[in-house]
Amino acid sequence: MGKVLLEKLLYSCTDLERIYVLMRPKRGKSPQTRIDDWLKLPVFKRIREEKPEVYKKLVPIPGDVTSEKLGISAEHEQLLIDTAEIVFHCAATLKLEARLKDAIEMNTIGTKRILDLCLQMKRLKALLHLSTAFCYCDKEVLTEKVHDFHHNPYDLMRTVEWMDEKAIDMITPNLLTPHPNTYTYSKRLAEMLVRDTYSKLRVCIVRPSIVCPANAEPVEGWVDSLNGPVGIMVAGGKGIIRSMLCNGEYNAEVIPVDIAINGLITIAYTLGQMEDMPKEIPVYNITCRETKRTTWKEVLDLGKATAYEYPFEAGVWYPDGDITMNKTYHTICVMLFHWLPAYFIDFLMFCFGQKRFMCRIQNMVSEGLSLLQFFTTRQWDFKSPQYQAIAKHLTPEDNVIFTMDVDAIDTKDYLRRIILGGRQFCMREPLSTLPKARIQLKFLYVLDKVAKAFMLYLMAWLFLTLTGLKAPVYEMLGWA
């Protein structure tokens, strides 16, 4: 989301004087080098071609939300205090499986440090705190308000500062209840910090649902991560995932990243234009309207058809997985179609002296599916009247430039963009390889049917042999 936000601000918000980007050095690269590398990515293609001069508006600020006072120099701190007018707080660890100490350090304490800095800013007009639509996942109806919680965020922040990591890990399961992971838990605590500061800051909370690849901007289908639904689609398209615990009748609460970013920018504009702030902190759920809800079964069926039309290269097996709510059936499918092929392929790799990889991939897939199944086996009702009302107050021109209309998106066409985006930008498989991939898919289809026929024959043979029915059945069929 950060890269798409920067691109959209540079491309469409031409009156912006400067954009400060808080960045930490990573893998030996300075913040400036990291930004230079970003600008070479496909996501910035239209800026490179149409408006290369706007690059100079990007000003990296070395720092880290996990460091005291954000780890920024006194000079940079004063620069931000004197000049910054709009703040998008998007920094967070998105790892659902992150340790509690790490999640609170990044998502909760990091938010507190951002709030402390913003309280000093002389020209601040809008602070947007990016949360998640699932931070109150214990509630069936999720409205645009901050709910109380029985845990005090200040107590938790003090706890992770002095308590040993092993001790924190031991108490984590009890602390998280009713949350499924440390991400939603730490985000909920952060929202309480933001709410407590509302009387002193012009701040709001923005909650996108599951963010997926771009629909139209800046590049159709652009994505740079295999997290969430994209990873499932890629793994399913390559035949790695064959079964998943999921209720097909429940809604797939996803939002294209460009729609979410347009929402962020228009919310910042709306907040900055408010003459009188509401009594309670403004909260915006960036979720699909009720008129544009799509079920997981619809996503699966359309996704399969699209994956057959635009297959991935070098699939492990024919992509014919399914979803179920029957845990026993799912476990059997995982054993037969996930782990058995993984061990077989790794055995072949071992025999040919090649590096084994399938069991490692299946471990990652299993962990990912176990984390995601909390969200695919539950139904929520998201209410977003405040977010939906924003478009009514924009000019027709702004509604085109910063479109938030998900109703206009064709679901089948969008799934095609997701799969092609995952194929090109994550798997580095150019469209020129599609003819070869289609031939591979036909081969896998035949192999799948032959393997299933052989397995059925083997199971029937074992059953007849163990029950003593083999001879009479063979005689009846004339095989004796």
Side-chain angles (χ1 to χ4, degrees):
M1 290 187 74
K3 296 183 183 75
V4 178
L5 174 61
L6 284 177
E7 198 278 342
K8 185 64 174 179
L9 289 172
L10 289 170
Y11 188 81
S12 299
C13 302
T14 54
D15 290 338
L16 287 176
E17 183 180 340
R18 285 187 301 276
I19 302 177
Y20 300 115
V21 187
L22 181 68
M23 296 185 70
R24 59 185 176 184
K26 191 174 183 180
R27 295 171 186 168
K29 293 184 178 180
S30 68
Q32 183 62 61
T33 302
R34 290 184 63 195
I35 285 186
D36 292 340
D37 290 343
W38 279 8
L39 299 179
K40 299 173 186 176
L41 297 173
V43 67
F44 292 98
K45 179 182 178 181
R46 65 178 180 177
I47 289 185
R48 288 197 302 270
E49 295 177 350
E50 301 175 34
K51 302 180 179 181
E53 71 280 358
V54 300
Y55 285 152
K56 63 185 179 211
K57 293 185 179 182
L58 285 180
V59 179
I61 303 289
D64 188 341
V65 294
T66 62
S67 299
E68 195 65 34
K69 299 188 71 173
L70 301 175
I72 60 179
S73 67
E75 179 184 356
H76 281 142
E77 181 183 40
Q78 195 59 49
L79 177 67
L80 296 174
I81 291 172
D82 292 338
T83 63
E85 297 182 38
I86 303 170
V87 175
F88 294 95
H89 173 39
C90 306
T93 176
L94 303 179
K95 293 180 180 178
L96 301 182
E97 75 282 9
R99 300 176 76 171
L100 182 61
K101 181 180 178 65
D102 297 332
I104 290 182
E105 184 70 41
M106 174 75 83
N107 298 344
T108 310
I109 300 178
T111 297
K112 178 65 168 59
R113 291 172 178 141
I114 292 290
L115 292 171
D116 290 342
L117 177 61
C118 290
L119 283 168
Q120 303 176 62
M121 292 181 179
K122 301 173 183 177
R123 302 172 61 184
L124 186 68
K125 295 179 180 178
L127 164 60
L128 279 75
H129 169 71
L130 197 66
S131 186
T132 171
F134 298 95
C135 62
Y136 299 101
C137 49
D138 53 314
K139 301 182 181 296
E140 293 183 2
V141 180
L142 299 167
T143 58
E144 293 176 307
K145 65 175 293 184
V146 179
H147 299 276
D148 290 325
F149 192 40
H150 57 276
H151 288 173
N152 186 315
Y154 300 94
D155 291 341
L156 267 298
M157 289 190 294
R158 284 191 292 269
T159 299
V160 299
E161 286 179 356
W162 65 265
M163 186 176 285
D164 178 77
E165 277 199 38
K166 291 184 179 179
I168 295 175
D169 292 341
M170 289 178 63
I171 64 174
T172 293
N174 289 331
L175 282 176
L176 291 187
T177 305
H179 288 264
N181 53 63
T182 59
Y183 174 68
T184 59
Y185 178 75
S186 58
K187 280 292 191 179
R188 185 169 187 169
L189 296 176
E191 281 202 6
M192 297 171 70
L193 296 177
V194 177
R195 180 194 60 184
D196 292 348
T197 319
Y198 177 58
S199 61
K200 306 172 188 176
L201 277 176
R202 186 175 281 261
V203 60
C204 71
I205 295 172
V206 184
R207 299 178 185 146
S209 54
I210 302 172
V211 179
C212 282
N215 174 58
E217 294 184 291
V219 180
E220 288 185 2
W222 187 81
V223 60
D224 68 346
S225 170
L226 289 175
N227 291 332
V230 178
I232 292 175
M233 286 190 175
V234 171
K238 284 186 172 286
I240 295 173
I241 294 180
R242 309 279 293 177
S243 180
M244 179 178 175
L245 276 177
C246 175
N247 191 320
E249 303 305 313
Y250 288 168
N251 294 326
E253 297 292 349
V254 300
I255 196 85
V257 65
D258 49 339
I259 300 294
I261 291 305
N262 288 340
L264 273 180
I265 294 173
T266 54
I267 288 169
Y269 171 78
T270 302
L271 185 66
Q273 294 295 311
M274 286 183 182
E275 293 184 3
D276 298 314
M277 296 295 289
K279 184 178 179 181
E280 293 187 354
I281 183 170
V283 179
Y284 302 92
N285 288 339
I286 302 184
T287 55
C288 289
R289 302 178 186 177
E290 293 182 3
T291 54
K292 192 60 179 180
R293 297 286 166 84
T294 305
T295 66
W296 287 113
K297 187 178 186 309
E298 291 171 330
V299 171
L300 175 67
D301 292 342
L302 289 173
K304 273 187 181 181
T306 306
Y308 295 151
E309 188 175 357
Y310 304 99
F312 291 90
E313 283 188 81
V316 173
W317 204 257
Y318 185 70
D320 193 28
D322 206 350
I323 56 176
T324 181
M325 282 297 289
N326 188 315
K327 292 185 178 180
T328 302
Y329 175 73
H330 170 69
T331 301
I332 294 172
C333 287
V334 167
M335 291 172 61
L336 290 177
F337 304 125
H338 287 193
W339 286 108
L340 191 60
Y343 279 109
F344 178 69
I345 291 173
D346 272 0
F347 174 72
L348 291 179
M349 293 293 102
F350 174 75
C351 291
F352 289 105
Q354 301 296 316
K355 186 177 180 181
R356 290 167 286 179
F357 63 93
M358 274 306 299
C359 285
R360 177 172 51 85
I361 289 177
Q362 277 302 337
N363 266 322
M364 294 169 59
V365 167
S366 296
E367 290 175 6
L369 289 179
S370 65
L371 290 168
L372 286 175
Q373 72 184 33
F374 180 90
F375 302 98
T376 58
T377 57
R378 286 167 175 78
Q379 179 81 301
W380 290 278
D381 182 11
F382 292 99
K383 305 295 184 183
S384 55
Q386 294 188 98
Y387 173 63
Q388 302 300 341
I390 289 178
K392 301 174 184 177
H393 303 291
L394 299 178
T395 65
E397 182 184 4
D398 282 342
N399 266 316
V400 172
I401 297 173
F402 302 100
T403 180
M404 297 179 284
D405 184 12
V406 293
D407 287 355
I409 299 175
D410 180 81
T411 303
K412 182 178 180 180
D413 189 47
Y414 178 55
L415 283 169
R416 176 185 63 82
R417 295 176 183 183
I418 289 179
I419 288 176
L420 289 180
R423 194 182 194 280
Q424 294 176 88
F425 304 121
C426 290
M427 304 310 296
R428 302 292 190 269
E429 298 176 7
L431 298 182
S432 60
T433 64
L434 277 172
K436 181 178 72 172
R438 288 175 180 136
I439 294 174
Q440 292 173 340
L441 185 68
K442 290 178 181 178
F443 170 77
L444 290 173
Y445 174 79
V446 173
L447 182 63
D448 179 65
K449 297 303 179 185
V450 171
K452 285 179 178 177
F454 176 75
M455 287 293 294
L456 285 173
Y457 170 78
L458 183 62
M459 291 171 66
W461 182 83
L462 285 172
F463 173 77
L464 294 174
T465 301
L466 293 174
T467 57
L469 297 174
K470 178 180 176 182
V473 170
Y474 273 34
E475 184 178 351
M476 181 178 65
L477 296 173
W479 294 353

